[in-house]
Short mmCIF file of all heavy atoms in Angstrom, two decimals:
data_model
loop_
_atom_site.label_atom_id
_atom_site.label_comp_id
_atom_site.label_asym_id
_atom_site.label_seq_id
_atom_site.Cartn_x
_atom_site.Cartn_y
_atom_site.Cartn_z
N VAL A 253 106.18 138.80 109.45
CA VAL A 253 105.09 138.71 110.47
C VAL A 253 104.70 140.08 110.97
O VAL A 253 105.55 140.83 111.46
CB VAL A 253 105.51 137.75 111.66
CG1 VAL A 253 104.41 137.75 112.76
CG2 VAL A 253 105.71 136.32 111.19
N LEU A 254 103.43 140.39 110.85
CA LEU A 254 102.91 141.63 111.41
C LEU A 254 102.33 141.49 112.82
O LEU A 254 101.52 140.55 113.04
CB LEU A 254 101.74 142.16 110.45
CG LEU A 254 101.06 143.47 110.94
CD1 LEU A 254 102.05 144.57 111.01
CD2 LEU A 254 99.92 143.74 110.01
N ASN A 255 102.83 142.31 113.69
CA ASN A 255 102.39 142.27 115.09
C ASN A 255 101.57 143.55 115.30
O ASN A 255 102.00 144.64 114.96
CB ASN A 255 103.59 142.29 116.07
CG ASN A 255 104.49 141.03 115.88
OD1 ASN A 255 104.30 140.02 116.50
ND2 ASN A 255 105.48 141.21 115.00
N ILE A 256 100.45 143.39 116.04
CA ILE A 256 99.62 144.62 116.30
C ILE A 256 99.30 144.56 117.88
O ILE A 256 99.21 143.50 118.45
CB ILE A 256 98.35 144.72 115.47
CG1 ILE A 256 97.40 143.50 115.72
CG2 ILE A 256 98.65 144.94 114.05
CD1 ILE A 256 96.00 143.76 115.28
N SER A 257 99.16 145.74 118.41
CA SER A 257 98.63 145.87 119.76
C SER A 257 97.77 147.10 119.76
O SER A 257 98.05 148.12 119.13
CB SER A 257 99.80 145.99 120.74
OG SER A 257 100.50 147.16 120.54
N CYS A 258 96.71 147.00 120.45
CA CYS A 258 95.79 148.11 120.75
C CYS A 258 94.80 147.81 121.75
O CYS A 258 94.59 146.60 122.16
CB CYS A 258 95.11 148.60 119.40
SG CYS A 258 93.99 147.42 118.70
N TYR A 259 94.07 148.87 122.27
CA TYR A 259 93.03 148.64 123.15
C TYR A 259 92.00 149.76 122.96
O TYR A 259 92.34 150.78 122.23
CB TYR A 259 93.54 148.79 124.63
CG TYR A 259 93.89 150.22 124.99
CD1 TYR A 259 92.98 151.10 125.65
CD2 TYR A 259 95.15 150.75 124.73
CE1 TYR A 259 93.24 152.29 126.05
CE2 TYR A 259 95.44 152.05 125.06
CZ TYR A 259 94.48 152.77 125.70
OH TYR A 259 94.82 154.13 126.03
N LEU A 260 90.83 149.60 123.45
CA LEU A 260 89.85 150.67 123.33
C LEU A 260 88.85 150.44 124.50
O LEU A 260 88.30 149.35 124.69
CB LEU A 260 89.06 150.60 122.01
CG LEU A 260 87.97 151.68 121.81
CD1 LEU A 260 88.75 153.09 121.65
CD2 LEU A 260 87.19 151.42 120.52
N PHE A 261 88.67 151.50 125.29
CA PHE A 261 87.63 151.48 126.33
C PHE A 261 86.33 151.89 125.70
O PHE A 261 86.09 152.98 125.26
CB PHE A 261 87.96 152.39 127.51
CG PHE A 261 89.06 151.90 128.34
CD1 PHE A 261 90.36 152.50 128.30
CD2 PHE A 261 88.88 150.91 129.20
CE1 PHE A 261 91.33 152.01 129.15
CE2 PHE A 261 89.89 150.46 130.03
CZ PHE A 261 91.09 150.96 130.03
N VAL A 262 85.37 150.93 125.63
CA VAL A 262 84.09 151.12 124.98
C VAL A 262 83.12 150.08 125.62
O VAL A 262 83.53 148.90 125.93
CB VAL A 262 84.15 150.95 123.45
CG1 VAL A 262 84.64 149.57 123.08
CG2 VAL A 262 82.75 151.23 122.84
N GLY A 263 81.89 150.44 125.89
CA GLY A 263 80.93 149.56 126.54
C GLY A 263 80.65 148.29 125.64
O GLY A 263 80.20 148.47 124.55
N LEU A 264 80.91 147.13 126.23
CA LEU A 264 80.68 145.91 125.43
C LEU A 264 79.78 144.92 126.33
O LEU A 264 80.31 143.97 126.85
CB LEU A 264 81.95 145.22 125.14
CG LEU A 264 82.94 145.99 124.19
CD1 LEU A 264 84.25 145.17 124.00
CD2 LEU A 264 82.25 146.27 122.86
N PRO A 265 78.48 145.22 126.49
CA PRO A 265 77.62 144.31 127.24
C PRO A 265 77.52 142.95 126.66
O PRO A 265 77.13 141.98 127.27
CB PRO A 265 76.26 145.11 127.25
CG PRO A 265 76.28 145.99 126.00
CD PRO A 265 77.74 146.36 125.87
N ASP A 266 77.86 142.79 125.39
CA ASP A 266 77.75 141.56 124.70
C ASP A 266 79.17 140.87 124.47
O ASP A 266 79.46 140.17 123.51
CB ASP A 266 77.20 141.72 123.26
CG ASP A 266 77.97 142.73 122.41
OD1 ASP A 266 78.69 143.56 123.01
OD2 ASP A 266 77.80 142.72 121.16
N ALA A 267 80.03 141.10 125.50
CA ALA A 267 81.47 140.63 125.37
C ALA A 267 81.46 139.14 125.16
O ALA A 267 82.30 138.61 124.40
CB ALA A 267 82.19 141.02 126.68
N ALA A 268 80.60 138.33 125.80
CA ALA A 268 80.63 136.88 125.71
C ALA A 268 80.33 136.45 124.26
O ALA A 268 80.95 135.52 123.71
CB ALA A 268 79.70 136.24 126.69
N GLU A 269 79.35 137.13 123.66
CA GLU A 269 78.96 136.76 122.28
C GLU A 269 80.06 137.22 121.31
O GLU A 269 80.43 136.44 120.35
CB GLU A 269 77.64 137.47 121.92
CG GLU A 269 76.47 137.07 122.74
CD GLU A 269 75.31 137.97 122.48
OE1 GLU A 269 75.18 138.53 121.36
OE2 GLU A 269 74.37 138.03 123.33
N LEU A 270 80.67 138.36 121.51
CA LEU A 270 81.75 138.74 120.67
C LEU A 270 82.93 137.87 120.75
O LEU A 270 83.59 137.63 119.70
CB LEU A 270 82.25 140.17 121.16
CG LEU A 270 81.55 141.43 120.58
CD1 LEU A 270 82.02 142.64 121.32
CD2 LEU A 270 81.79 141.60 119.10
N ARG A 271 83.15 137.30 121.88
CA ARG A 271 84.29 136.37 122.05
C ARG A 271 84.23 135.22 121.07
O ARG A 271 85.28 134.89 120.44
CB ARG A 271 84.36 135.85 123.45
CG ARG A 271 85.51 134.96 123.82
CD ARG A 271 85.21 133.52 123.66
NE ARG A 271 86.51 132.72 123.71
CZ ARG A 271 86.60 131.55 123.22
NH1 ARG A 271 85.66 130.91 122.59
NH2 ARG A 271 87.79 130.93 123.30
N GLU A 272 83.08 134.63 120.86
CA GLU A 272 82.94 133.45 119.96
C GLU A 272 83.26 133.87 118.55
O GLU A 272 83.97 133.17 117.78
CB GLU A 272 81.53 132.85 120.05
CG GLU A 272 81.24 132.41 121.51
CD GLU A 272 82.21 131.37 122.01
OE1 GLU A 272 82.64 130.48 121.28
OE2 GLU A 272 82.53 131.45 123.23
N ARG A 273 82.74 135.00 118.14
CA ARG A 273 82.91 135.46 116.73
C ARG A 273 84.37 135.88 116.47
O ARG A 273 84.94 135.47 115.40
CB ARG A 273 82.00 136.65 116.44
CG ARG A 273 82.06 137.10 115.00
CD ARG A 273 80.85 138.00 114.62
NE ARG A 273 80.79 139.23 115.35
CZ ARG A 273 81.36 140.36 114.96
NH1 ARG A 273 81.99 140.43 113.82
NH2 ARG A 273 81.30 141.44 115.76
N LEU A 274 84.92 136.67 117.38
CA LEU A 274 86.31 137.12 117.17
C LEU A 274 87.35 135.98 117.14
O LEU A 274 88.32 135.97 116.45
CB LEU A 274 86.65 138.21 118.20
CG LEU A 274 85.81 139.48 118.12
CD1 LEU A 274 86.32 140.49 119.10
CD2 LEU A 274 85.85 140.10 116.71
N HIS A 275 87.03 134.99 118.03
CA HIS A 275 87.90 133.81 118.14
C HIS A 275 87.93 133.07 116.84
O HIS A 275 88.96 132.67 116.29
CB HIS A 275 87.54 132.90 119.34
CG HIS A 275 88.41 131.73 119.44
ND1 HIS A 275 88.13 130.54 118.88
CD2 HIS A 275 89.59 131.55 120.13
CE1 HIS A 275 89.05 129.61 119.17
NE2 HIS A 275 89.97 130.22 119.89
N ALA A 276 86.66 132.84 116.33
CA ALA A 276 86.49 132.05 115.03
C ALA A 276 87.22 132.75 113.91
O ALA A 276 87.91 132.13 113.08
CB ALA A 276 85.08 131.80 114.77
N GLU A 277 87.05 134.06 113.81
CA GLU A 277 87.66 134.81 112.69
C GLU A 277 89.20 134.89 112.81
O GLU A 277 89.89 134.76 111.80
CB GLU A 277 87.09 136.25 112.68
CG GLU A 277 85.56 136.39 112.38
CD GLU A 277 85.33 135.98 110.92
OE1 GLU A 277 86.24 135.91 110.11
OE2 GLU A 277 84.06 135.85 110.55
N ALA A 278 89.75 134.97 114.03
CA ALA A 278 91.13 134.99 114.19
C ALA A 278 91.76 133.63 113.84
O ALA A 278 92.73 133.46 113.20
CB ALA A 278 91.52 135.44 115.60
N LEU A 279 91.05 132.60 114.28
CA LEU A 279 91.49 131.23 114.04
C LEU A 279 91.49 130.96 112.58
O LEU A 279 92.46 130.37 112.06
CB LEU A 279 90.55 130.28 114.75
CG LEU A 279 91.07 128.83 115.00
CD1 LEU A 279 92.28 128.87 115.88
CD2 LEU A 279 89.93 128.03 115.64
N ALA A 280 90.48 131.42 111.79
CA ALA A 280 90.40 131.16 110.41
C ALA A 280 91.55 131.87 109.62
O ALA A 280 91.96 131.42 108.60
CB ALA A 280 89.07 131.66 109.85
N ARG A 281 92.10 132.93 110.24
CA ARG A 281 93.19 133.70 109.57
C ARG A 281 94.52 133.26 110.07
O ARG A 281 95.58 133.88 109.68
CB ARG A 281 92.96 135.19 109.81
CG ARG A 281 91.75 135.71 109.00
CD ARG A 281 91.42 137.14 109.43
NE ARG A 281 90.40 137.78 108.54
CZ ARG A 281 89.12 137.59 108.55
NH1 ARG A 281 88.61 136.65 109.46
NH2 ARG A 281 88.27 138.21 107.72
N GLY A 282 94.57 132.24 110.86
CA GLY A 282 95.86 131.75 111.41
C GLY A 282 96.61 132.68 112.36
O GLY A 282 97.84 132.66 112.46
N LEU A 283 95.80 133.46 113.08
CA LEU A 283 96.50 134.46 113.91
C LEU A 283 96.77 133.86 115.29
O LEU A 283 96.05 132.94 115.75
CB LEU A 283 95.56 135.73 114.13
CG LEU A 283 95.08 136.39 112.89
CD1 LEU A 283 94.32 137.67 113.21
CD2 LEU A 283 96.26 136.69 111.91
N LYS A 284 97.76 134.39 115.95
CA LYS A 284 98.05 133.92 117.38
C LYS A 284 98.19 135.22 118.22
O LYS A 284 98.59 136.23 117.70
CB LYS A 284 99.34 133.11 117.38
CG LYS A 284 99.22 131.72 116.70
CD LYS A 284 100.46 130.90 116.87
CE LYS A 284 100.29 129.55 116.17
NZ LYS A 284 101.51 128.71 116.31
N GLY A 285 98.02 135.05 119.50
CA GLY A 285 98.14 136.12 120.44
C GLY A 285 97.00 136.09 121.47
O GLY A 285 96.39 135.04 121.65
N THR A 286 96.70 137.28 122.07
CA THR A 286 95.64 137.32 123.03
C THR A 286 94.71 138.45 122.82
O THR A 286 95.17 139.55 122.52
CB THR A 286 96.31 137.51 124.47
OG1 THR A 286 97.18 136.41 124.77
CG2 THR A 286 95.29 137.65 125.57
N VAL A 287 93.45 138.24 122.93
CA VAL A 287 92.39 139.17 122.87
C VAL A 287 91.64 139.16 124.19
O VAL A 287 91.08 138.09 124.53
CB VAL A 287 91.47 139.02 121.67
CG1 VAL A 287 90.40 140.15 121.67
CG2 VAL A 287 92.19 138.98 120.36
N LEU A 288 91.58 140.32 124.90
CA LEU A 288 90.83 140.33 126.17
C LEU A 288 89.55 141.20 125.91
O LEU A 288 89.74 142.32 125.39
CB LEU A 288 91.64 140.90 127.27
CG LEU A 288 92.92 140.17 127.67
CD1 LEU A 288 93.60 140.84 128.81
CD2 LEU A 288 92.61 138.72 128.03
N LEU A 289 88.46 140.77 126.39
CA LEU A 289 87.15 141.47 126.28
C LEU A 289 86.56 141.66 127.61
O LEU A 289 86.64 140.69 128.47
CB LEU A 289 86.20 140.72 125.37
CG LEU A 289 86.67 140.50 123.83
CD1 LEU A 289 85.73 139.37 123.25
CD2 LEU A 289 86.53 141.80 123.11
N ALA A 290 85.95 142.77 127.87
CA ALA A 290 85.21 142.97 129.11
C ALA A 290 84.13 143.96 128.82
O ALA A 290 84.11 144.63 127.78
CB ALA A 290 86.22 143.50 130.20
N GLU A 291 83.29 144.20 129.80
CA GLU A 291 82.29 145.24 129.62
C GLU A 291 82.81 146.61 129.38
O GLU A 291 82.16 147.50 128.81
CB GLU A 291 81.28 145.25 130.81
CG GLU A 291 80.39 143.99 130.88
CD GLU A 291 79.31 144.14 131.89
OE1 GLU A 291 79.19 145.19 132.52
OE2 GLU A 291 78.47 143.16 132.03
N GLU A 292 84.06 146.79 129.80
CA GLU A 292 84.70 148.10 129.61
C GLU A 292 85.41 148.31 128.33
O GLU A 292 85.90 149.41 128.04
CB GLU A 292 85.62 148.44 130.82
CG GLU A 292 86.87 147.52 130.91
CD GLU A 292 87.74 147.89 132.04
OE1 GLU A 292 87.41 148.76 132.77
OE2 GLU A 292 88.87 147.32 132.12
N GLY A 293 85.65 147.23 127.53
CA GLY A 293 86.39 147.41 126.23
C GLY A 293 87.15 146.16 125.82
O GLY A 293 86.79 145.01 126.25
N ILE A 294 88.14 146.46 124.97
CA ILE A 294 88.93 145.37 124.33
C ILE A 294 90.43 145.76 124.48
O ILE A 294 90.85 146.90 124.43
CB ILE A 294 88.51 145.23 122.89
CG1 ILE A 294 89.28 144.07 122.26
CG2 ILE A 294 88.81 146.49 122.07
CD1 ILE A 294 88.74 143.67 120.82
N ASN A 295 91.25 144.72 124.62
CA ASN A 295 92.69 144.88 124.66
C ASN A 295 93.29 143.68 123.92
O ASN A 295 92.92 142.56 124.18
CB ASN A 295 93.22 144.88 126.13
CG ASN A 295 94.72 145.22 126.26
OD1 ASN A 295 95.26 145.75 125.31
ND2 ASN A 295 95.31 144.76 127.29
N LEU A 296 94.16 143.96 122.94
CA LEU A 296 94.64 142.81 122.08
C LEU A 296 96.12 142.95 121.67
O LEU A 296 96.65 144.01 121.55
CB LEU A 296 93.79 142.66 120.89
CG LEU A 296 93.75 143.89 119.80
CD1 LEU A 296 94.78 143.63 118.74
CD2 LEU A 296 92.31 144.01 119.32
N PHE A 297 96.69 141.75 121.48
CA PHE A 297 98.05 141.56 120.98
C PHE A 297 97.93 140.37 120.00
O PHE A 297 97.67 139.26 120.46
CB PHE A 297 99.05 141.31 122.09
CG PHE A 297 99.03 142.23 123.20
CD1 PHE A 297 98.17 142.16 124.23
CD2 PHE A 297 99.93 143.34 123.16
CE1 PHE A 297 98.19 143.13 125.25
CE2 PHE A 297 99.97 144.24 124.15
CZ PHE A 297 99.13 144.15 125.25
N LEU A 298 98.13 140.67 118.70
CA LEU A 298 97.94 139.60 117.73
C LEU A 298 99.11 139.63 116.73
O LEU A 298 99.76 140.72 116.55
CB LEU A 298 96.64 139.74 117.01
CG LEU A 298 95.39 139.35 117.72
CD1 LEU A 298 94.14 139.73 116.85
CD2 LEU A 298 95.38 137.89 118.15
N ALA A 299 99.39 138.50 116.14
CA ALA A 299 100.47 138.43 115.09
C ALA A 299 100.10 137.38 114.11
O ALA A 299 99.34 136.40 114.29
CB ALA A 299 101.74 138.04 115.73
N GLY A 300 100.49 137.60 112.82
CA GLY A 300 100.27 136.74 111.74
C GLY A 300 100.71 137.36 110.41
O GLY A 300 101.40 138.35 110.37
N SER A 301 100.15 136.89 109.33
CA SER A 301 100.36 137.52 108.04
C SER A 301 99.73 138.95 108.03
O SER A 301 98.79 139.11 108.72
CB SER A 301 99.91 136.70 106.89
OG SER A 301 98.41 136.71 106.93
N ALA A 302 100.32 139.79 107.24
CA ALA A 302 99.71 141.11 107.10
C ALA A 302 98.34 141.07 106.70
O ALA A 302 97.39 141.78 107.18
CB ALA A 302 100.56 142.00 106.18
N GLU A 303 98.05 140.20 105.68
CA GLU A 303 96.69 140.05 105.13
C GLU A 303 95.73 139.58 106.19
O GLU A 303 94.59 140.08 106.36
CB GLU A 303 96.73 139.12 103.90
CG GLU A 303 95.33 138.89 103.32
CD GLU A 303 95.40 137.89 102.17
OE1 GLU A 303 96.41 137.22 102.04
OE2 GLU A 303 94.31 137.79 101.45
N GLY A 304 96.20 138.55 106.96
CA GLY A 304 95.30 137.96 107.97
C GLY A 304 95.02 138.97 109.11
O GLY A 304 93.90 139.13 109.55
N VAL A 305 96.07 139.63 109.63
CA VAL A 305 95.91 140.58 110.70
C VAL A 305 95.06 141.73 110.32
O VAL A 305 94.05 142.12 111.02
CB VAL A 305 97.28 141.05 111.19
CG1 VAL A 305 97.12 142.26 112.13
CG2 VAL A 305 98.04 139.99 111.84
N ARG A 306 95.36 142.37 109.12
CA ARG A 306 94.57 143.56 108.72
C ARG A 306 93.19 143.21 108.33
O ARG A 306 92.20 143.98 108.52
CB ARG A 306 95.27 144.20 107.59
CG ARG A 306 96.55 144.95 108.08
CD ARG A 306 97.47 145.50 106.97
NE ARG A 306 98.57 146.24 107.48
CZ ARG A 306 99.62 146.51 106.84
NH1 ARG A 306 99.80 146.00 105.55
NH2 ARG A 306 100.72 147.17 107.37
N GLY A 307 92.95 142.01 107.83
CA GLY A 307 91.63 141.55 107.54
C GLY A 307 90.73 141.36 108.78
O GLY A 307 89.56 141.75 108.84
N TRP A 308 91.36 140.82 109.89
CA TRP A 308 90.71 140.67 111.13
C TRP A 308 90.29 142.06 111.75
O TRP A 308 89.25 142.27 112.17
CB TRP A 308 91.55 139.92 112.11
CG TRP A 308 90.86 139.54 113.39
CD1 TRP A 308 90.05 138.44 113.62
CD2 TRP A 308 90.92 140.23 114.63
NE1 TRP A 308 89.71 138.35 114.95
CE2 TRP A 308 90.15 139.57 115.55
CE3 TRP A 308 91.55 141.47 115.00
CZ2 TRP A 308 89.99 139.97 116.88
CZ3 TRP A 308 91.39 141.93 116.23
CH2 TRP A 308 90.66 141.16 117.20
N VAL A 309 91.25 142.97 111.63
CA VAL A 309 91.04 144.31 112.15
C VAL A 309 89.83 144.94 111.38
O VAL A 309 89.04 145.64 111.94
CB VAL A 309 92.29 145.17 112.10
CG1 VAL A 309 91.98 146.64 112.43
CG2 VAL A 309 93.34 144.61 113.11
N ALA A 310 89.86 144.82 110.09
CA ALA A 310 88.80 145.42 109.28
C ALA A 310 87.47 144.83 109.63
O ALA A 310 86.47 145.61 109.73
CB ALA A 310 89.16 145.17 107.72
N LEU A 311 87.40 143.57 109.88
CA LEU A 311 86.15 142.97 110.30
C LEU A 311 85.73 143.61 111.68
O LEU A 311 84.57 143.94 111.85
CB LEU A 311 86.32 141.48 110.37
CG LEU A 311 85.07 140.67 110.83
CD1 LEU A 311 84.89 139.39 110.07
CD2 LEU A 311 85.21 140.34 112.37
N LEU A 312 86.72 143.74 112.58
CA LEU A 312 86.33 144.28 113.89
C LEU A 312 85.84 145.69 113.75
O LEU A 312 84.86 146.05 114.41
CB LEU A 312 87.58 144.22 114.70
CG LEU A 312 87.45 144.68 116.20
CD1 LEU A 312 86.48 143.75 116.98
CD2 LEU A 312 88.86 144.61 116.90
N LYS A 313 86.49 146.54 112.93
CA LYS A 313 86.15 147.94 112.82
C LYS A 313 84.86 148.11 112.08
O LYS A 313 84.29 149.26 112.02
CB LYS A 313 87.34 148.70 112.22
CG LYS A 313 88.53 148.74 113.06
CD LYS A 313 89.64 149.56 112.46
CE LYS A 313 89.40 151.03 112.42
NZ LYS A 313 90.65 151.77 112.02
N ALA A 314 84.36 147.10 111.39
CA ALA A 314 82.97 147.21 110.77
C ALA A 314 81.92 147.42 111.80
O ALA A 314 80.82 147.92 111.57
CB ALA A 314 82.73 145.91 109.94
N ASP A 315 82.25 147.06 113.08
CA ASP A 315 81.30 147.31 114.14
C ASP A 315 81.62 148.76 114.55
O ASP A 315 82.74 149.07 114.99
CB ASP A 315 81.57 146.41 115.29
CG ASP A 315 80.71 146.52 116.54
OD1 ASP A 315 80.21 147.67 116.80
OD2 ASP A 315 80.48 145.51 117.19
N PRO A 316 80.65 149.68 114.55
CA PRO A 316 80.89 151.11 114.78
C PRO A 316 81.53 151.33 116.21
O PRO A 316 82.22 152.34 116.34
CB PRO A 316 79.47 151.69 114.76
CG PRO A 316 78.67 150.74 113.93
CD PRO A 316 79.23 149.37 114.15
N ARG A 317 81.34 150.46 117.13
CA ARG A 317 81.94 150.66 118.47
C ARG A 317 83.43 150.59 118.37
O ARG A 317 84.12 151.16 119.26
CB ARG A 317 81.39 149.62 119.39
CG ARG A 317 79.89 149.69 119.74
CD ARG A 317 79.43 148.61 120.59
NE ARG A 317 79.63 147.28 119.93
CZ ARG A 317 79.26 146.11 120.56
NH1 ARG A 317 78.73 146.13 121.78
NH2 ARG A 317 79.36 144.97 119.89
N PHE A 318 83.97 149.96 117.36
CA PHE A 318 85.43 149.71 117.31
C PHE A 318 86.07 150.67 116.17
O PHE A 318 87.20 150.50 115.86
CB PHE A 318 85.80 148.29 117.00
CG PHE A 318 85.37 147.32 118.03
CD1 PHE A 318 84.35 146.39 117.80
CD2 PHE A 318 85.87 147.40 119.32
CE1 PHE A 318 83.86 145.59 118.81
CE2 PHE A 318 85.44 146.56 120.29
CZ PHE A 318 84.46 145.56 120.06
N ALA A 319 85.30 151.55 115.67
CA ALA A 319 85.78 152.38 114.55
C ALA A 319 87.03 153.21 114.92
O ALA A 319 87.85 153.47 114.05
CB ALA A 319 84.66 153.31 114.09
#
Side-chain angles (χ1 to χ4, degrees):
V253 175
L254 176 61
N255 301 270
I256 61 166
S257 63
C258 64
Y259 75 93
L260 184 67
F261 285 108
V262 60
L264 299 178
D266 57 339
E269 297 172 22
L270 273 172
R271 185 264 167 201
E272 300 305 318
R273 183 165 64 92
L274 296 182
H275 181 267
E277 293 290 348
L279 199 63
R281 289 169 170 79
L283 307 185
K284 292 182 180 179
T286 300
V287 179
L288 299 180
L289 299 163
E291 289 191 2
E292 68 178 3
I294 186 171
N295 186 23
L296 64 93
F297 306 85
L298 287 174
S301 69
E303 180 181 10
V305 170
R306 289 173 175 158
W308 186 88
V309 171
L311 179 139
L312 185 60
K313 293 180 73 171
D315 183 329
R317 295 175 296 181
F318 299 114

